[in-house]
Amino acid sequence: MSQVFSEETHRNLLARIPHCTGREISDWLRTVEEGPALLRFEEKVSWLRHEHNLAYGHAKAIVHEYDLRRAARKLL
């Protein structure tokens, strides 16, 4: 995985995404889940950027949040 945002920066980006994109984080996470079966972090970011016209930071924050939540589900 490439450079990871600080926790505070990550939270701030997530908070701004609904305002900037018009879609809630849960919608974006579902989009990643239902999207192509890409394995690498940067592939997912690139797909979101090009397919959904997202800014790099927003796409990266969405994929990072998706990975965090997926990892948390595996621990349960």
Side-chain angles (χ1 to χ4, degrees):
M1 180 165 26
S2 63
Q3 173 193 358
V4 177
F5 298 124
S6 72
E7 185 175 331
E8 180 182 1
T9 300
H10 178 68
R11 282 194 318 270
N12 289 338
L13 276 169
L14 287 180
R16 291 177 43 111
I17 288 172
H19 173 72
C20 294
T21 67
R23 291 177 63 186
E24 294 298 320
I25 296 300
S26 59
D27 293 337
W28 285 115
L29 297 175
R30 192 170 26 263
T31 297
V32 174
E33 180 72 29
E34 295 171 354
L38 303 170
L39 298 177
R40 293 180 47 229
F41 182 87
E42 286 298 330
E43 289 175 327
K44 294 174 192 173
V45 171
S46 182
W47 174 75
L48 278 176
R49 290 185 66 212
H50 293 100
E51 188 70 24
H52 298 281
N53 200 31
L54 288 175
Y56 177 72
H58 292 156
K60 189 172 173 179
I62 290 166
V63 173
H64 183 61
E65 184 67 17
Y66 174 80
D67 287 347
L68 287 173
R69 291 184 186 195
R70 189 181 67 188
R73 284 192 311 254
K74 287 183 179 180
L75 292 175
L76 296 176

